[in-house]
Amino acid sequence: MPVPIIQLRNVAFDFENTRALSDINIDIARGEFIAVIGPNGGGKTTLMRLILGLLTPTEGEVRIFGERPGTNPDRIGYVPQHSNTSPGFPASVEQVVLMGLAQGNSLFGKRRGIRYTREERAQAEHAMRRAGVSDLGKRRLNELSGGQRQRVLIARALITQPELLILDEPLSNIDPYGRQCILETLTGLDAQTTVVMVSHDLGITANAVTGIIAVNRFALASSGAQLTPAMLDLMYGIHEAGCPVHSLLQQMVETMPSENKLTQTQGKTASGCGHDTH
Amino acid sequence: MTLTELLQQNFMQHALLASLLVSVTCGVIGALIVVNRLTFMAGGIAHTAYGGVGLAFFLGAPVLPTAGAFTAGAAMLLGTLTLKKRERTDTLIGVIWAAGMAFGIIMINLTPGYNVGLMSYLFGSILTVPASDLWLMLGIDVVIVSLTLYFYRDILSFSFDPDFARSRGIPVQWLYFMILIMVAEAVVMMIQVVGLILVIALLTLPPYLAERHTKSLAGLMVASGIWSFVFCLGGLWVAYQFDLSSGASIIATACTFYLAVAGGQTLWNLMRRQEKTAA
């Protein structure tokens, strides 16, 4: 049985004397497309930051590709919430994508200095094509829509051709067309690329995911794209019929597919999103 | 005195050299301050420098090196405190700002004798910069420019998105402290030119003007440096023509340019909007 590329064993995390995550045991295999869902403040982003090595667990162990998180940044692509970036920053789309090459592990490494090599620019061009933003290279971020900006950040994460892509709410505040383009980009990636995505919008991701992890201080994982009653209980508590929350939860279950469906969009450039999956 | 005669004077040549050296640092550090939103932090560091000036007078030590060391220490303290208490950043900066100035005033009070030249540190005295200070400024320029060039990609990534930079293994805390120390040394360098009261204006106005016509951080740094040199020259000319304070004249020149450009741009946008409406 292949070793999972993400392994969390008995992980707990405390934030200012409050236990934010407890008893987390998760395995994610290569090639999976995982949606991480849960209520606000439930620990989804904390879980992502533990996987990335931006936080150290209070208890337990996190292993990424069998190593400590942060050991090999080129194998992991990260797309933070786009609200963390400033659209007015003096940089073109190409320059933002090239920032994905900056790496601090070696003080005297090759990737230093102001000028980028031809190979580095070719890497950026390839990443921009995969994300469907190759025609925006010279434009500044504040000239782009929210969806376009998010795809630029995805291109930045893809420039090192990572084996694992982690996205924190990439679809929030994006219009439906932009969401569709982003999802096409993600589902069109190489089948060996593992995607872990925090998303509130389970409906739109339903046809793309191969697994779901529900997080609300604890975590429950499903083996397929199935939202189980236990997951709903964990995230939102038990609500009786007649309660407005109960009908909302029913709707969430009904939007999930009855079977595990993965829409294969590899090689297609539908919807005019303009991305290249190769 | 004619302009040619004026330019042959030693003090004026020193003033021009000081303007050039300060402009290099203003370009680099000013751009970093603006893109990292450290304007208030830089103001706090600038005013804390007065503590270093007072300490130098009290100890009878050379002012710029003492102020440089003191201000760097204050910058590190500010950086440490603001990282631990992010939600109270403005309060902490205000406290250190006031504490630094109060310390400097007390040190000067405790220094016997009449301390001539104190006002020059508050309001600048570019026309009295000695050769030794010019060499110090050159040294600071070389260090700041070298560090920025070498760590450019890390600084760029950190300034745009610190979270992503951390995920790439970039030591963001170390970079943050490095930038704060560079701000501290830039401020001490600029005390001679515009004084610590007005330092923040010369650090921020050039990048605010330059960001309208630059497309990269490196471009912003170069354009800011050029604007800064233009303001220094313009301010020196105004001070000479009207017998005014050089530091204030430099800042007044910068503000006038900024208002003219910003006002012109607003007017231009209004006219274009009216044309579109009429069409």
Side-chain angles (χ1 to χ4, degrees), chain A residues 134-191:
Chain A
S134 56
D135 55 335
L136 304 176
K138 299 299 176 197
R139 299 201 25 207
R140 282 178 66 153
L141 281 191
N142 59 0
E143 298 171 17
L144 307 183
S145 68
Q148 288 173 321
R149 252 179 256 149
Q150 195 66 337
R151 283 192 282 154
V152 170
L153 298 187
I154 292 173
R156 182 183 62 172
L158 291 176
I159 193 171
T160 57
Q161 302 198 55
E163 298 165 61
L164 168 63
L165 191 61
I166 294 178
L167 307 103
D168 194 347
E169 299 198 38
L171 306 178
S172 64
N173 298 321
I174 306 294
D175 60 75
Y177 174 73
R179 287 189 205 177
Q180 187 59 36
C181 285
I182 290 170
L183 271 176
E184 282 188 14
T185 301
L186 297 177
T187 53
L189 294 174
D190 184 273

Side-chain angles (χ1 to χ4, degrees), chain B:
Chain B
M1 194 185 292
T2 64
L3 187 61
T4 312
E5 287 169 345
L6 183 65
L7 290 174
Q8 286 169 351
Q9 299 298 315
N10 205 34
F11 73 88
M12 184 51 82
Q13 289 172 354
H14 280 197
L16 291 174
L17 272 174
S19 300
L20 183 65
L21 293 171
V22 153
S23 297
V24 170
T25 291
C26 271
V28 173
I29 299 301
L32 289 179
I33 284 172
V34 166
V35 300
N36 284 289
R37 300 178 199 172
L38 293 175
T39 305
F40 193 47
M41 175 79 81
I45 292 172
H47 285 78
T48 308
Y50 198 65
V53 171
L55 185 64
F57 272 84
F58 181 73
L59 296 175
V63 174
L64 286 194
T66 309
F70 183 90
T71 312
M76 299 271 285
L77 176 63
L78 257 177
T80 307
L81 290 174
T82 52
L83 280 177
K84 286 190 184 309
K85 292 278 180 195
R86 287 178 203 270
E87 71 279 9
R88 285 281 176 261
T89 300
D90 56 345
T91 309
L92 290 167
I93 292 170
V95 167
I96 302 292
W97 176 319
M101 285 219 78
F103 177 77
I105 293 167
I106 289 170
M107 286 291 106
I108 286 163
N109 287 161
L110 294 175
T111 305
Y114 183 69
N115 297 308
V116 295
L118 269 178
M119 296 299 273
S120 69
Y121 296 105
L122 287 173
F123 301 110
S125 179
I126 192 173
L127 299 172
T128 60
V129 175
S132 56
D133 283 355
L134 287 176
W135 283 110
L136 191 61
M137 287 180 183
L138 178 64
I140 293 174
D141 267 354
V142 167
V143 170
I144 285 177
V145 170
S146 303
L147 284 174
T148 305
L149 280 176
Y150 187 75
F151 292 109
Y152 181 76
R153 295 189 186 193
D154 303 323
I155 290 171
L156 181 65
S157 189
F158 162 74
S159 300
F160 180 71
D161 189 344
D163 241 5
F164 179 82
R166 254 190 85 201
S167 77
R168 295 291 302 157
I170 292 170
V172 296
Q173 283 198 3
W174 186 90
L175 268 182
Y176 179 61
F177 281 116
M178 185 184 84
I179 290 173
L180 289 184
I181 291 173
M182 292 203 298
V183 169
E185 299 314 313
V187 155
V188 168
M189 208 173 126
M190 292 165 66
I191 284 176
Q192 295 273 72
V193 177
V194 292
L196 59 92
I197 302 283
L198 298 172
V199 145
I200 199 63
L202 197 59
L203 280 173
T204 53
L205 282 172
Y208 283 149
L209 271 171
E211 68 180 358
R212 291 160 191 269
H213 56 85
T214 51
K215 288 184 181 177
S216 68
L217 182 60
L220 182 65
M221 289 175 176
V222 171
S224 301
I226 292 171
W227 275 118
S228 176
F229 190 54
V230 166
F231 297 151
C232 286
L233 292 184
L236 279 172
W237 182 86
V238 166
Y240 169 68
Q241 288 292 328
F242 300 105
D243 193 23
L244 299 171
S245 157
S246 53
S249 300
I250 290 170
I251 299 307
T253 305
C255 291
T256 306
F257 258 85
Y258 181 77
L259 289 171
V261 169
Q265 195 145 19
T266 306
L267 203 60
W268 175 254
N269 290 339
L270 263 171
M271 283 167 58
R272 284 185 69 183
R273 214 174 295 148
Q274 278 176 352
E275 276 175 15
K276 279 186 186 167
T277 314

Side-chain angles (χ1 to χ4, degrees), chain A residues 201-260:
Chain A
D201 197 336
L202 201 52
I204 200 164
T205 57
N207 288 330
V209 301
T210 59
I212 299 173
I213 297 174
V215 179
N216 188 11
R217 189 179 157 194
F218 300 92
L220 282 176
S222 73
S223 55
Q226 296 284 346
L227 197 59
T228 64
M231 285 175 160
L232 288 175
D233 289 345
L234 171 67
M235 292 189 290
Y236 303 111
I238 297 173
H239 295 269
E240 293 179 352
C243 164
V245 179
H246 175 82
S247 48
L248 187 67
L249 296 176
Q250 282 295 110
Q251 282 177 27
M252 284 175 71
V253 174
E254 283 160 14
T255 58
M256 296 304 299
S258 53
E259 294 168 6
N260 182 2

Side-chain angles (χ1 to χ4, degrees), chain A:
Chain A
M1 186 143 178
V3 176
I5 64 167
I6 297 177
Q7 284 180 296
L8 278 79
R9 289 286 174 269
N10 304 315
V11 167
F13 183 77
D14 291 342
F15 181 71
E16 290 182 358
N17 302 321
T18 302
R19 183 132 287 197
L21 287 173
S22 191
D23 198 27
I24 306 292
N25 287 280
I26 291 173
D27 285 339
I28 296 176
R30 187 177 293 277
E32 293 215 64
F33 192 130
I34 304 293
V36 179
I37 62 173
N40 291 337
K44 304 183 298 296
T45 297
T46 303
L47 183 62
M48 296 299 103
R49 293 171 77 82
L50 284 167
I51 291 171
L52 286 161
L54 298 180
L55 294 172
T56 305
T58 309
E59 292 171 17
E61 192 179 54
V62 179
R63 283 273 177 258
I64 312 297
F65 300 109
E67 296 171 317
R68 278 185 308 107
T71 304
N72 200 335
D74 279 353
R75 298 178 80 177
I76 304 175
Y78 173 44
V79 184
Q81 284 186 314
H82 68 266
S83 56
N84 293 338
T85 60
S86 167
F89 193 88
S92 65
V93 164
E94 188 196 27
Q95 287 164 3
V96 171
V97 174
L98 283 164
M99 288 181 201
L101 291 176
Q103 189 182 37
N105 282 352
S106 166
L107 196 61
F108 300 102
K110 283 188 290 186
R111 297 188 195 144
R112 297 224 160 263
I114 286 181
R115 303 187 73 83
Y116 291 98
T117 64
R118 203 175 301 170
E119 290 75 24
E120 287 169 334
R121 290 192 186 278
Q123 278 180 271
E125 176 59 33
H126 180 61
M128 288 193 288
R129 260 187 281 115
R130 289 174 84 190
V133 291
S134 56
D135 55 335
L136 304 176
K138 299 299 176 197
R139 299 201 25 207
R140 282 178 66 153
L141 281 191
N142 59 0
E143 298 171 17
L144 307 183
S145 68
Q148 288 173 321
R149 252 179 256 149
Q150 195 66 337
R151 283 192 282 154
V152 170
L153 298 187
I154 292 173
R156 182 183 62 172
L158 291 176
I159 193 171
T160 57
Q161 302 198 55
E163 298 165 61
L164 168 63
L165 191 61
I166 294 178
L167 307 103
D168 194 347
E169 299 198 38
L171 306 178
S172 64
N173 298 321
I174 306 294
D175 60 75
Y177 174 73
R179 287 189 205 177
Q180 187 59 36
C181 285
I182 290 170
L183 271 176
E184 282 188 14
T185 301
L186 297 177
T187 53
L189 294 174
D190 184 273
Q192 290 299 299
T193 304
T194 308
V195 178
V196 179
M197 183 171 82
V198 174
S199 176
H200 280 299
D201 197 336
L202 201 52
I204 200 164
T205 57
N207 288 330
V209 301
T210 59
I212 299 173
I213 297 174
V215 179
N216 188 11
R217 189 179 157 194
F218 300 92
L220 282 176
S222 73
S223 55
Q226 296 284 346
L227 197 59
T228 64
M231 285 175 160
L232 288 175
D233 289 345
L234 171 67
M235 292 189 290
Y236 303 111
I238 297 173
H239 295 269
E240 293 179 352
C243 164
V245 179
H246 175 82
S247 48
L248 187 67
L249 296 176
Q250 282 295 110
Q251 282 177 27
M252 284 175 71
V253 174
E254 283 160 14
T255 58
M256 296 304 299
S258 53
E259 294 168 6
N260 182 2
K261 294 177 192 169
L262 178 63
T263 302
Q264 298 291 343
T265 61
Q266 209 158 353
K268 296 180 186 175
T269 54
S271 312
C273 297
H275 57 266
D276 182 353
T277 56
H278 301 292

